[in-house]
Amino acid sequence: MEWLTLLKALILGMVEGLTEFAPVSSTGHLIVVDDLIIKSQEILGKYPANTFKVVVQLGSILAVVIVFRDRFIEMLGLRRKKEKTHTLKLSHIIVGLLPAMVLGLLFDDFIDEHLFSLKTVLIGLAAGSILMIAADMFRPKVPVIETVDQLTYKKAILVGLMQCIALWPGFSRSGSTISAGVLFGLSYRAASDFTFIMAVPIMAGASGISLLKNWMYMTPEFAPFLITGFISAFIFAYLSIRFFLTVISRIKLIPFAIYRLVLVAVIVIFFM
């Protein structure tokens, strides 16, 4: 496989890693960059290209697991210490996941067939920006929940319900859940922590289903492309998560919303 082809895999992995957990929509950015610049379907074909997007997402998932490894160890009951250092439970995650999981399973085929296009992504990017601006403007001045360990089941289900709108490509899972969290009284850091931790099982589940559907396309011929994208996504996702968690409480959501709106305008003006 030519070095230029591997460079394209690295770029797509970088786009996935940098955008998966920022509230800008990784799916939207992957579709935009791939459709307008990389054109992976011309390199791999339609179905191997779809499989590649699943594989790079797994790289991002691994980065979250590494960043929040202590919490996952405790939630899974693997820590041997007598006293727990965290109070966020696996049941909070399950409650938050249920709405999007049910809808995702019911409409998975419809979403794959009808919603993954440049036009629908632009709609999602614009609509998600409005939600993020509203969250910054109308959030409680003083958060009710400062840390994710204070999260209640009621707040978890409310955030989980808002996650359902992220099934529309371009809306952004982190954008919808962080916005919902701050609107419902979570601090920006608490909403971000819950968003990232909750993303692991739902992303792993969705990726697992997609891999089973497209397993026949995981051939040695495409292995270098897939591996390059996976490693790239992992590295850039790890760096992105670390950076995002240090700045989100200071910059909040409006800068990300403005970026999304500018991106939509640029694509509409120059590429459509």
Side-chain angles (χ1 to χ4, degrees), residues 64-74 238 242:
V64 184
V65 172
I66 297 299
V67 172
F68 291 97
R69 58 188 176 276
D70 288 340
R71 286 191 177 276
F72 285 113
I73 288 171
E74 283 198 356
Y238 181 85
R242 289 292 193 188

Side-chain angles (χ1 to χ4, degrees), residues 53-100:
K53 291 170 184 174
V54 175
V55 170
V56 296
Q57 192 174 59
L58 290 173
S60 294
I61 294 171
L62 179 60
V64 184
V65 172
I66 297 299
V67 172
F68 291 97
R69 58 188 176 276
D70 288 340
R71 286 191 177 276
F72 285 113
I73 288 171
E74 283 198 356
M75 285 190 292
L76 293 173
L78 301 177
R79 188 180 294 279
R80 295 182 178 180
K81 291 182 179 180
K82 293 182 179 180
E83 295 183 3
K84 291 187 176 182
T85 57
H86 303 123
T87 56
L88 181 71
K89 299 178 181 177
L90 184 61
S91 52
H92 289 98
I93 307 302
I94 294 172
V95 166
L97 285 177
L98 281 176

Side-chain angles (χ1 to χ4, degrees), residues 29-67:
H29 278 72
L30 271 180
I31 290 174
V32 169
V33 173
D34 198 9
D35 286 3
L36 298 181
I37 303 172
I38 303 297
K39 303 184 185 301
S40 64
Q41 289 195 23
E42 295 180 4
I43 301 171
L44 305 177
K46 177 180 178 181
Y47 294 104
N50 290 341
T51 304
F52 170 78
K53 291 170 184 174
V54 175
V55 170
V56 296
Q57 192 174 59
L58 290 173
S60 294
I61 294 171
L62 179 60
V64 184
V65 172
I66 297 299
V67 172

Side-chain angles (χ1 to χ4, degrees), residues 108-234:
D108 180 57
D109 291 336
F110 175 82
I111 293 169
D112 283 345
E113 293 295 327
H114 300 286
L115 294 185
F116 279 88
S117 70
L118 184 58
K119 182 178 178 180
T120 56
V121 164
L122 294 178
I123 293 171
L125 284 168
S129 299
I130 295 172
L131 173 62
M132 291 160 63
I133 292 170
D136 268 4
M137 293 178 63
F138 301 111
R139 62 185 172 85
K141 291 183 178 181
V142 179
V144 177
I145 297 174
E146 285 288 352
T147 73
V148 73
D149 290 308
Q150 299 171 331
L151 188 70
T152 64
Y153 289 106
K154 179 181 178 181
K155 300 292 186 183
I157 191 67
L158 288 173
V159 173
L161 287 169
M162 287 293 287
Q163 185 175 216
C164 293
I165 60 178
L167 293 172
W168 184 286
F171 216 104
S172 171
R173 182 184 300 106
S174 59
S176 61
T177 52
I178 294 173
S179 297
V182 297
L183 280 171
F184 297 138
L186 278 68
S187 68
Y188 285 94
R189 179 58 191 260
S192 299
D193 283 354
F194 185 55
T195 291
F196 294 168
I197 294 168
M198 187 170 57
V200 170
I202 197 167
M203 287 172 61
S207 298
I209 293 171
S210 296
L211 281 178
L212 288 175
K213 289 181 178 179
N214 299 286
W215 187 255
M216 68 287 296
Y217 303 109
M218 299 276 289
T219 63
E221 177 186 0
F222 301 125
F225 197 84
L226 298 173
I227 294 170
T228 300
F230 176 89
I231 295 174
S232 175
F234 168 75

